[in-house]
């Protein structure tokens, strides 16, 4: 059933300080409204319990991409379209660009933001696996200051994140030049476009003289949160990407993930696909 729109309040703060000040004065009272692509779906379905929103869409302090020799920082309102078009991101962080290109439709990509995707905390979201393997950090701001936190420790459980009620995500920072020689991303959904993931897999590795010197793997849609498959990584690290190593890694991955049956897929299918994607990733390391 549709929501009763007049029951909702949407205000535009003058600037970021004004937004944070209002959130500090009434903790839990105001929530951010960025591109609205998640919130409007809930509103339309009559499933948006929160009533008071601050539109942050026009705040310049939350826009822009900054590059330094050590990092790239995407401010929270960076849209998928901006990510897709960004030359340096395409060169150095191709998995994030792939995730952006496979998120929803062009309309969703023009309006949906990276900060909104992170704050919405869906285990089926497409950019978090890429951000996990790139070791992203998040900048959280409130009226009294700012803090940086590692993204991997920020996710506390199904749709739960370690963000205070008075805090906004301001930026997402990724370190540059990790020397990865292989980067791999696959989203498996019902269709190639406009589909929510059944399984999403991101992997990066440094292969040195035929051995996997460093590797990071993250998956979405196979656990209550997106997560790094650190036990599987351990099996692969310092090994050659040979069949025996792959088999051991696939067994470990089966123990690490916790897929469920739901409207989009079955646990069995998700397990099989996750293992197949691991195999594809390992094959790419051998070539
Ligand atoms: C048709 C359609 C297709 C989609 N397909 C995909 C898909 O394929 N893959 C995928 O991952 N997602 C998909 N989505 C989901 C959605 O587009 C993304 O999650 C998007 O990134 C959300 O960003 P937003 O700015 O629209 O967030 P909003 O809807 O504005 O907000 C979402 C949540 O984040 C909070 N929030 C937003 N910004 C901040 C901030 N800076 N600080 C703190 N909290 C904040 C809001 O309070 C709210 O709780 C789709 C959505 C639609 C409608």
């Amino acid at each position: 059933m549709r929501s009763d729109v007049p029951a909702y309040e949407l205000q535009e703060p003058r600037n970021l300080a004004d937004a944070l000040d209002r959130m500090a004065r009434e903790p839990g009272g105001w929530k951010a409204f960025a591109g609205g692509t998640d919130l409007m779906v809930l509103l339309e379905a009559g499933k948006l319990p929160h009533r008071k929103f601050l539109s942050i869409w026009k705040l310049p302090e939350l826009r822009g991409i900054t590059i330094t020799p050590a990092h790239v920082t995407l401010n929270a309102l960076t849209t998928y379209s901006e990510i897709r078009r960004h030359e340096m991101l395409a060169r150095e962080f191709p998995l994030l660009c792939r995730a952006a290109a496979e998120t929803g439709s062009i309309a969703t990509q023009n309006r949906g933001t990276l900060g909104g995707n992170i704050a919405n905390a869906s285990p089926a979201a497409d950019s978090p696996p890429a951000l996990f393997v790139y070791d992203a950090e998040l900048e959280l701001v409130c009226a009294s200051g700012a803090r940086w936190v590692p993204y991997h420790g920020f996710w506390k459980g199904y749709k739960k994140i370690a963000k205070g009620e008075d805090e906004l995500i301001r930026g997402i920072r990724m370190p540059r030049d990790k020397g990865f020689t292989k980067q791999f991303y696959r989203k498996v959904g019902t269709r190639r476009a406009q589909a929510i993931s059944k399984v999403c897999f991101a992997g990066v590795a440094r292969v040195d003289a035929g051995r996997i010197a460093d590797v990071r793997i993250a998956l979405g849609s196979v656990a209550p949160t997106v997560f790094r498959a650190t036990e599987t990584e351990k099996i692969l690290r310092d090994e050659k990407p040979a069949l025996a190593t792959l088999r051991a890694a696939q067994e470990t991955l089966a123990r690490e993930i916790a897929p469920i049956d739901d409207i989009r897929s079955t646990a069995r299918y998700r397990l099989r696909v996750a293992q197949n994607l691991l195999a594809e990733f390992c094959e790419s390391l051998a070539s």
Side-chain angles (χ1 to χ4, degrees):
M1 200 178 66
R2 284 183 140 188
S3 301
D4 174 27
V5 174
Y8 290 85
E9 200 175 341
L10 181 68
Q11 291 196 6
E12 275 196 352
R14 289 187 307 280
N15 49 40
L16 179 61
D18 181 28
L20 296 176
D21 189 47
R22 292 192 205 198
M23 292 173 82
R25 275 190 274 121
E26 208 184 322
W30 296 101
K31 278 188 79 169
F33 190 105
T37 60
D38 279 314
L39 290 172
M40 289 306 288
V41 172
L42 295 174
L43 181 85
E44 181 67 16
K47 292 181 180 167
L48 186 57
H50 199 83
R51 299 286 157 139
K52 291 171 65 172
F53 292 91
L54 290 176
S55 173
I56 59 172
W57 182 251
K58 292 185 185 161
L59 297 182
E61 301 95 323
L62 298 179
R63 292 217 171 267
I65 298 175
T66 315
I67 302 167
T68 66
H71 293 98
V72 59
T73 304
L74 293 82
N75 279 339
L77 291 177
T78 303
T79 63
Y80 299 108
S81 297
E82 287 167 331
I83 292 170
R84 284 188 73 170
R85 283 197 297 262
H86 201 276
E87 277 179 26
M88 178 270 192
L89 292 177
R91 223 175 26 251
E92 297 188 26
F93 300 93
L95 308 189
L96 187 61
C97 296
R98 276 287 298 281
E102 297 197 23
T103 295
S105 61
I106 298 294
T108 306
Q109 291 170 16
N110 284 340
R111 189 77 195 181
T113 66
L114 196 56
N117 201 228
I118 291 169
N120 191 51
S122 163
D126 292 318
S127 49
L131 294 172
F132 269 43
V133 296
Y134 289 139
D135 248 354
E137 296 171 297
L138 308 179
E139 188 187 22
L140 302 170
V141 280
C142 65
S144 57
R147 62 187 176 119
W148 283 98
V149 295
Y151 185 21
H152 66 82
F154 180 66
W155 214 321
K156 295 297 177 196
Y158 178 71
K159 289 237 160 196
K160 282 206 188 100
I161 50 175
K163 183 182 80 58
E165 287 179 331
D166 60 342
E167 285 181 312
L168 287 174
I169 299 168
R170 177 159 63 188
I172 301 105
R173 175 168 82 179
M174 297 180 290
R176 298 176 69 189
D177 194 28
K178 288 285 176 185
F180 297 122
T181 51
K182 298 284 178 183
Q183 304 208 26
F184 176 93
Y185 181 89
R186 272 292 300 278
K187 165 181 174 172
V188 174
T190 307
R191 303 174 294 269
R192 278 193 67 82
Q194 279 281 43
I196 299 176
S197 297
K198 294 178 180 193
V199 180
C200 183
F201 185 109
V204 292
R206 184 163 54 83
V207 181
D208 206 352
R211 286 191 186 276
I212 304 168
D214 194 8
V215 62
R216 293 187 202 154
I217 293 168
L219 291 103
S221 287
V222 290
T225 70
V226 171
F227 76 104
R228 272 276 294 276
T230 49
E231 294 303 314
T232 306
E233 292 172 4
K234 275 186 209 159
I235 301 289
L236 294 172
R237 199 165 288 125
D238 295 327
E239 296 293 333
K240 288 188 174 162
L243 192 60
T245 312
L246 169 64
R247 292 283 175 260
Q250 284 177 318
E251 279 171 29
T252 304
L253 184 66
R255 287 193 293 277
E256 275 199 285
I257 65 179
I260 55 166
D261 293 338
D262 69 8
I263 183 174
R264 290 194 304 283
S265 192
T266 63
R268 196 158 158 257
Y269 177 84
R270 287 185 159 115
L271 167 62
R272 180 66 65 85
V273 171
Q275 289 179 316
N276 288 349
L277 294 179
L278 178 62
E280 262 188 59
F281 174 53
C282 286
E283 276 161 25
S284 78
L285 303 185
S287 58

